[in-house]
Amino acid sequence: MSEQLGVDALDDLLLGSQLGVLTAASTFTGSMERWVSRCLAEHGPVTVLHPDEVDDTFGADEFACCVGMVGSLAAMYEMPPGGDECIEAFDELGRMIGRRPHCVAPLNAAGVNAMIAVAAAALNGVPLLDCDGQGRVFPLIDQTTFALAGLDAAPLVGVGPWGDVVTVRSPAGRAERLERFGLAGAGGWLMTALYPAPVRELAAAGIPGSLSRCRTVGAILRSGRGHIGALLARELGGRLVGRGRVAGIAEQAEHGVATVQPAQPVAVVIDRADRPGSEILIEVRNEAVLVLVDGAVVATTPDSICLVDPLRRRAVDLLDLNEGDAVDVFVLPADERWHTDAGIRLAGPRAFGVPLRHHEERR
Amino acid sequence: MSAQARKQSAITLGVLLRSEPMRDVVVRPEPASDEPVVRVQLVDDVEQVRRCEPGTVVVLQRPIAAAAWSVSVAIRYAWERRLPCVVAQLDPQAAPSVVRLAERLDVPLGHCPGDLAHLALALAPLVALPAATRSQTVTRCASAILEQQDASSVLRVIQQNLPDVEVTLRAAGRGAHPVHHAEGTDVRTVTVPFGPLDPWGARELRAEVTGGSPEWLAVVSDVLAIARAQILACEAGSLVRLSARRATEESLLLQVTEHDGLDRPDVASAARELGWVVDGGLVAGLVSLPDHAREEVSSLDGVLPAIPDATGPVRYDAGWAYWMLCRAADETEGVGPDGVPDGLPSAVSAQRTLAVALGRIRDDAGLPRNVATGVGSIGRGPAGLGRSLRHAVLAAKAARLTPAAGPAPVYDEVGASAFLVGADTADLRPIAREVLAPLADCEDVAALVQTIATYLDCGGSTARAATALGVHRNTVSGRMERVRRLGVPVDDPARRLVLHLAAHLEAQRLRASAVAREERTEDAPSC
């Protein structure tokens, strides 16, 4: 059943989109939410379609694409978008594939890209699919369930802060590498339209309900009731690892094994308050990829490792995290497609330079 | 070989950690040294640690050796698999949480700054050939022991190289060692006696070994045997060196004092090297044994302490000499050639200082009872030192025979006693006995002889003699009457000097005999 997403839903969406996002999360300056809010005010609410409704709504030859910001969030705050990048990328992609997409989907309904997808749908006047390709944030554009389903990110179009338009038309599997080069020259971020595909195929390949889950999480966080970590874990089908205080945040010199991940590894050590003497170690490679409790592996990517601040009741961003901060650590299971062999290869710990057997395997 | 037998014959973690390849590896927490090690495995995939057999020392290869997450996981697996140790390349300062984890799970974590593959390669044969490793341990200990110069450093080397071994050097057959072991700890004892070569009596090296296999006990025994030989060699060397030095000093002192030795460049040079100053005013003192115990003088070697501001002890005559500088009688107080006060004491002050110091040594240094001390007169230059030493010898002898003279009498104050001690020669002694022969059969011969000497000292005054002897004057009169009756020529002026000297010499002899008797009685074992 489609629904209209208007300005009144943005607070929940904004807060909920931060969950499970460690390095591209809640350092909001306010400009992003004001921009999305203005888009909705000017262009009206966005129609949100659940993937189950796609077959009834679109024909087999009607196309969709994903929209999202690719690159550095910090760079985007330094050089904010002008506002029409989503339109330009959407239109240019339409020209490249010879047809205008009929709807958009978030590349990932997490962090800033959840909001950008809403703005893109509003600005281009198309419906928004309630699904995404990651179910969380992965750093590479081909770490998606779309790619697992055989869809290719290219052709793609990225529009940068200086108005550069980067287009990629390449053989399958090369888009990530090529866009990464474009990013460096364009100024650190590209508003990107990608994964052009028939709407039905894109919807089937995506993780359903991603946007709705953001809004649910936002509502829970804003409710102000209960043990927030345990509550979220229970509501979202996850499990609580523990609560504690940050004892150390250290950049690591070693990756483990060679990896194409762009960021330097970081280790977060948490002294558990619920079990004194015990420590939680979270290995971060762009995003949290491994949780150890006293050296025992309790969770790995692709499951989503989430940190929330139980006092301020919001998701934790690594940039805001300090020694002594209280955090709840819990794990949300990834979509079952991530737990296939291909999914593990694409987004399991080894893909992040952590050569551990996937946690599911050991269970 | 069965797994059990293999484990029993395996080397222990303690031995492995003390091996040469592990020299630069820092291990925390302190490992249980008796943990058997059956294998060393170089691991480049942390999942391999889960498949290691118990008793395997894991050496992580880079890059997983340097990442906090992978070392943490390896520690956890090691704990689950009961592995004795994990070696990584993670700076403990940079990853305190990993060190805390290792401590909490009690899994020893080594930090190796060098090549990890090379380390694993070097450790593997040590573990694979435990007998060879034990031999290597013995060899390494032997090399280290042979570089030591005394017993305590030898024991320290053993402690450092043999894990879980408490070694002591002690008299054989003493009771249990006071080291306390945790209840249930398997402690075995290895003893290596010193045997007849031991110059200090029957000592032994005793090692208490915690949880050692028979092979390890054999290693400990071999090392103790090597240590025993080195300790004996060190002690013998020390004794020889000490003895040679003492002999050199004794000879040098004689050369300096009796033969104008300082005129010879070699003697002067040797005296300078020893720091001897024999210019200006000097006062000598002596710690002396009786003549009949002259052979035992070396027993005081190493026992006598130094005296502040004095030179010595140096072996001299039947004892050990000290001397100190003072102002000579004709020198004014305390100004050196450059106008700076020299700080030298006066002669009297130096004599007192030396007397007090020697008296303290005699009473407090645990010396035999027959030791006597004396201080000589002031002298000047080498010849004066020689004379002061000779006077000190006489003063010490007088002190032995005249307890009233005090613990360390000064020659100048002893008076005739010192002269008489010097006159007690083999020529005069028979003459003295002949003069006093009429008294030989008297039971109180000693009292009679002493009374004659005192009576004549007092110029024939019965009253003063009685006071000096501490008896009633009638006692003196009675004794002198008996002496006269027995035919001793007390009143013959021509023979009075001979009688006076003979009485003093015989009194000395009788006192010396009495002192010797007392000493023999005290030294005899009591039933």
Side-chain angles (χ1 to χ4, degrees):
Chain A
M1 184 72 177
S2 66
E3 60 175 328
Q4 299 296 305
L5 190 151
V7 175
D8 57 341
L10 282 186
D11 284 346
D12 285 346
L13 182 66
L14 175 65
L15 206 54
S17 67
Q18 311 305 312
L19 190 67
V21 186
L22 260 186
T23 58
S26 56
T27 47
F28 267 74
T29 61
S31 62
M32 176 63 69
E33 54 194 292
R34 281 197 297 276
W35 171 59
V36 178
S37 187
R38 196 166 61 245
C39 290
L40 289 177
E42 290 176 1
H43 298 275
V46 168
T47 302
V48 177
L49 291 173
H50 193 271
D52 293 345
E53 302 172 85
V54 165
D55 286 352
D56 299 333
T57 311
F58 297 103
D61 56 348
E62 289 178 303
F63 266 55
C65 70
C66 293
V67 176
M69 191 280 287
V70 178
S72 161
L73 190 65
M76 197 179 81
Y77 287 133
E78 285 181 9
M79 290 182 290
D84 56 359
E85 290 88 349
C86 291
I87 303 170
E88 196 173 350
F90 187 82
D91 290 345
E92 184 60 27
L93 181 65
R95 281 191 286 276
M96 283 181 76
I97 63 175
R99 61 185 78 190
R100 191 172 190 276
H102 287 82
C103 65
V104 296
L107 175 63
N108 48 4
V112 69
N113 277 346
M115 302 293 282
I116 285 173
V118 174
L123 289 170
N124 290 298
V126 294
L128 178 63
L129 291 177
D130 187 6
C131 68
D132 75 343
Q134 295 182 335
R136 47 169 293 177
V137 171
F138 287 121
L140 307 183
I141 61 172
D142 53 8
Q143 285 180 309
T144 62
T145 51
F146 304 136
L148 284 178
L151 302 179
D152 193 25
L156 65 79
V157 177
V159 179
W162 303 104
D164 302 316
V165 178
V166 177
T167 61
V168 175
R169 189 189 297 278
S170 65
R174 304 250 320 142
E176 160 64 35
R177 173 180 287 257
L178 293 169
E179 192 184 30
R180 196 64 58 186
F181 285 117
L183 270 177
W189 60 266
L190 287 170
M191 199 66 79
T192 306
L194 66 173
Y195 284 108
V199 184
R200 292 178 181 178
E201 286 185 35
L202 194 71
I207 298 169
S210 302
L211 277 173
S212 307
R213 191 175 76 162
C214 286
R215 292 171 63 184
T216 304
V217 170
I220 293 172
L221 288 171
R222 295 201 320 138
S223 68
R225 290 193 303 273
H227 183 306
I228 194 67
L231 190 62
L232 283 169
R234 190 173 65 242
E235 290 293 323
L236 302 174
R239 58 199 160 90
L240 184 68
V241 175
R243 169 175 287 188
R245 290 194 179 274
V246 177
I249 305 169
E251 263 198 16
Q252 307 289 309
E254 288 289 345
H255 284 262
V257 296
T259 171
V260 295
Q261 300 300 324
Q264 190 72 9
V266 172
V268 179
V269 179
I270 296 166
D271 274 342
R272 292 184 69 176
D274 51 354
R275 193 183 300 170
S278 175
E279 286 184 339
I280 301 171
L281 185 146
I282 300 174
E283 184 73 9
V284 181
R285 306 287 172 101
N286 283 90
E287 294 302 330
V289 297
L290 171 68
V291 181
L292 304 178
V293 174
D294 298 333
V297 181
V298 297
T300 67
T301 180
D303 288 342
S304 185
I305 295 157
C306 306
L307 274 68
V308 291
D309 182 334
L311 304 177
R312 289 179 287 182
R313 300 181 72 82
R314 67 177 200 187
V316 167
D317 185 317
L318 197 59
L319 290 177
D320 281 344
L321 198 61
N322 292 299
E323 284 188 21
D325 284 356
V327 289
D328 281 345
V329 182
F330 62 96
V331 179
L332 300 180
D335 185 86
E336 61 186 15
R337 278 167 287 188
W338 282 126
H339 289 288
T340 61
D341 289 345
I344 295 301
R345 272 197 305 278
L346 192 58
R350 192 171 288 273
F352 291 87
V354 178
L356 274 174
R357 198 170 304 155
H358 178 241
H359 188 52
E360 287 299 317
E361 283 180 54
R362 68 180 76 241
R363 281 194 301 196
Chain B
M1 187 185 287
S2 70
Q4 184 66 20
R6 187 173 161 221
K7 199 170 175 182
Q8 281 177 350
S9 68
I11 68 165
T12 61
L13 182 60
V15 173
L16 196 67
L17 293 182
R18 285 165 176 80
S19 64
E20 182 59 29
M22 294 290 281
R23 177 193 289 270
D24 297 328
V25 178
V26 179
V27 179
R28 286 177 61 187
E30 190 69 28
S33 304
D34 59 343
E35 196 81 17
V37 177
V38 298
R39 199 171 172 209
V40 174
Q41 189 163 345
L42 183 65
V43 165
D44 61 0
D45 177 354
V46 74
E47 295 288 1
Q48 293 171 2
V49 182
R50 295 177 72 203
R51 296 189 290 274
C52 288
E53 65 174 308
T56 301
V57 166
V58 170
V59 180
L60 298 178
Q61 179 63 295
R62 284 183 76 96
I64 61 168
W69 69 268
S70 47
V71 179
S72 297
V73 171
I75 289 169
R76 180 71 184 207
Y77 287 160
W79 176 70
E80 291 171 359
R81 301 288 299 162
R82 299 184 57 78
L83 308 183
C85 183
V86 173
V87 180
Q89 204 162 61
L90 192 64
D91 183 358
Q93 306 295 325
S97 68
V98 182
V99 176
R100 284 197 296 273
L101 176 64
E103 287 172 347
R104 199 157 58 247
L105 299 183
D106 200 20
V107 174
L109 172 64
H111 169 63
C112 170
D115 188 317
L116 290 154
H118 185 265
L119 174 68
L121 205 59
L123 292 179
L126 301 184
V127 174
L129 302 168
T133 304
R134 290 190 191 97
S135 300
Q136 205 175 46
T137 301
V138 174
T139 308
R140 191 181 64 246
C141 287
S143 299
I145 286 170
L146 292 178
E147 290 174 2
Q148 308 310 311
Q149 302 296 322
D150 57 67
S152 61
S153 54
V154 168
L155 298 187
R156 195 160 51 244
V157 163
I158 298 173
Q159 298 283 170
Q160 286 168 351
N161 284 278
L162 300 184
D164 288 337
V165 173
E166 291 281 345
V167 62
T168 50
L169 171 60
R170 45 183 243 159
R174 283 180 53 188
H177 194 273
V179 172
H180 296 293
H181 300 280
E183 201 166 324
T185 308
D186 179 19
V187 178
R188 302 178 191 191
T189 303
V190 178
T191 304
V192 173
F194 271 42
L197 287 177
D198 187 5
W200 307 111
R203 291 177 299 167
E204 65 183 17
L205 279 170
R206 179 188 169 102
E208 299 206 343
V209 186
T210 306
S213 64
E215 293 85 353
W216 180 241
L217 296 179
V219 167
V220 175
S221 180
D222 289 347
V223 171
L224 293 192
I226 294 165
R228 171 183 59 186
Q230 180 66 6
I231 290 171
L232 284 173
C234 289
E235 290 175 346
S238 296
L239 288 174
V240 168
R241 279 193 299 277
L242 192 62
S243 178
R245 180 188 162 94
R246 295 307 188 204
T248 303
E249 289 175 345
E250 183 180 16
S251 166
L252 189 65
L253 187 56
L254 285 176
Q255 292 289 328
V256 167
T257 56
E258 306 296 339
H259 306 294
D260 296 329
L262 288 181
D263 294 341
R264 283 168 43 199
D266 58 333
V267 174
S269 166
R272 264 196 311 277
E273 276 183 21
L274 290 171
W276 289 3
V277 179
V278 287
D279 292 333
L282 295 154
V283 171
L286 195 77
V287 176
S288 169
L289 286 165
D291 286 340
H292 64 80
R294 182 180 288 267
E295 297 303 318
E296 299 169 17
V297 71
S298 61
S299 68
L300 302 185
D301 201 356
V303 175
L304 297 178
I307 295 175
D309 299 325
T311 304
V314 178
R315 206 152 64 195
Y316 181 82
D317 193 61
W320 296 81
Y322 296 85
W323 66 91
M324 67 193 304
L325 298 177
C326 65
R327 291 198 306 275
D330 55 348
E331 286 178 336
T332 55
E333 185 175 356
V335 178
D338 51 0
V340 177
D342 56 16
L344 291 177
S346 67
V348 173
S349 172
Q351 284 175 319
R352 287 281 154 243
T353 303
L354 209 48
V356 169
L358 291 173
R360 196 169 292 143
I361 289 173
R362 196 195 73 161
D363 296 337
D364 300 341
L367 304 182
R369 285 179 54 82
N370 58 356
V371 164
T373 55
V375 178
S377 55
I378 185 164
R380 189 184 184 97
L385 174 61
R387 196 184 65 186
S388 187
L389 283 167
R390 288 193 295 278
H391 289 176
V393 171
L394 295 176
K397 286 183 177 176
R400 180 173 293 110
L401 299 175
T402 316
V410 177
Y411 175 81
D412 300 335
E413 297 168 2
V414 172
S417 297
F419 177 79
L420 290 168
V421 166
D424 186 8
T425 64
D427 293 337
L428 290 181
R429 218 172 287 139
I431 296 172
R433 272 203 297 274
E434 287 167 12
V435 170
L436 295 168
L439 308 180
D441 294 334
C442 297
E443 284 185 1
D444 56 349
V445 59
L448 294 178
V449 171
Q450 184 61 50
T451 302
I452 295 170
T454 308
Y455 178 77
L456 294 176
D457 284 347
C458 297
S461 166
T462 305
R464 282 190 286 137
T467 303
L469 289 169
V471 297
H472 194 271
R473 57 185 296 173
N474 290 348
T475 303
V476 176
S477 301
R479 285 178 183 171
M480 291 308 296
E481 191 55 41
R482 279 175 62 207
V483 167
R484 288 188 182 93
R485 271 205 310 274
L486 289 168
V488 177
V490 179
D491 301 317
D492 182 353
R495 300 176 65 186
R496 188 174 293 162
L497 179 59
V498 175
L499 178 63
H500 196 171
L501 283 172
H504 272 293
L505 291 179
E506 193 60 5
Q508 276 181 184
R509 187 186 68 79
L510 291 169
R511 275 199 300 273
S513 300
V515 169
R517 257 197 319 276
E518 277 177 26
E519 287 170 359
R520 279 197 296 275
T521 307
E522 286 173 5
D523 292 344
S526 58
C527 298

